[in-house]
Amino acid sequence: MAKTSKGTLYRGQVHGQWSWVAHRITGVAIFFFLLVHVLDTALVRVSPEAYNAVMETYKNPIMGLGEAGLVAAIVYHAFNGLRIILVDFWSNGTKYQKQMLWGVLALWLVVMVPFLVRHLSNIFHLNIFGG
């Protein structure tokens, strides 16, 4: 009986499965953000007062945390999308899939940590930069 390989290109191993799930979740979250963004921006044409009221509701810490989550989703989705392109079009992509995922996560941290420090200090009015 012939030996079969375990799993497929994106599934069958933990790192591939979770990156696939995270990529889909971030993609759907970004889609819904864009849908809401288009709708609330279009509100300015219907009623500038209603638009201003909606914009005021966005100026609170909960929405600021939502913005941080959105940026985290966009950054992960972008870096992982590049990894998927390499897996699909680079002849050694599947061989180095796991290492590239770790690279995506490392790049995500390098981008997100400074962003979160700055963004969260603005949301919670922390003066950590001495200005």
Side-chain angles (χ1 to χ4, degrees):
M1 182 171 198
K3 184 178 178 181
T4 59
S5 63
K6 182 179 177 182
T8 63
L9 188 61
Y10 294 113
R11 298 183 307 174
Q13 296 184 17
V14 173
H15 65 274
Q17 186 67 32
W18 286 114
S19 66
W20 182 88
V21 169
H23 196 75
R24 292 335 181 254
I25 290 171
T26 56
V28 169
I30 294 164
F31 169 79
F32 281 113
F33 162 76
L34 290 173
L35 178 65
V36 170
H37 179 64
V38 167
L39 293 174
D40 68 13
T41 303
L43 191 58
V44 77
R45 306 265 305 159
V46 176
S47 170
E49 296 79 22
Y51 173 79
N52 289 335
V54 169
M55 290 302 113
E56 280 302 312
T57 65
Y58 291 162
K59 295 178 182 177
N60 67 62
I62 293 171
M63 292 305 290
L65 292 173
E67 289 173 341
L70 174 65
V71 171
I74 291 169
V75 171
Y76 172 80
H77 195 80
F79 287 150
N80 194 55
L82 294 173
R83 182 187 72 87
I84 290 170
I85 290 169
L86 286 172
V87 168
D88 287 345
F89 294 107
W90 180 34
S91 61
N92 289 325
T94 55
K95 180 178 178 183
Y96 295 108
Q97 175 179 221
K98 186 175 183 178
Q99 292 87 341
M100 288 190 293
L101 177 59
W102 285 111
V104 163
L105 297 175
L107 284 171
W108 183 83
L109 277 174
V110 165
V111 170
M112 288 306 299
V113 168
F115 166 77
L116 287 173
V117 168
R118 180 64 183 235
H119 187 67
L120 295 177
S121 69
N122 288 336
I123 291 172
F124 297 109
H125 308 291
L126 305 172
N127 191 6
I128 60 173
F129 297 108

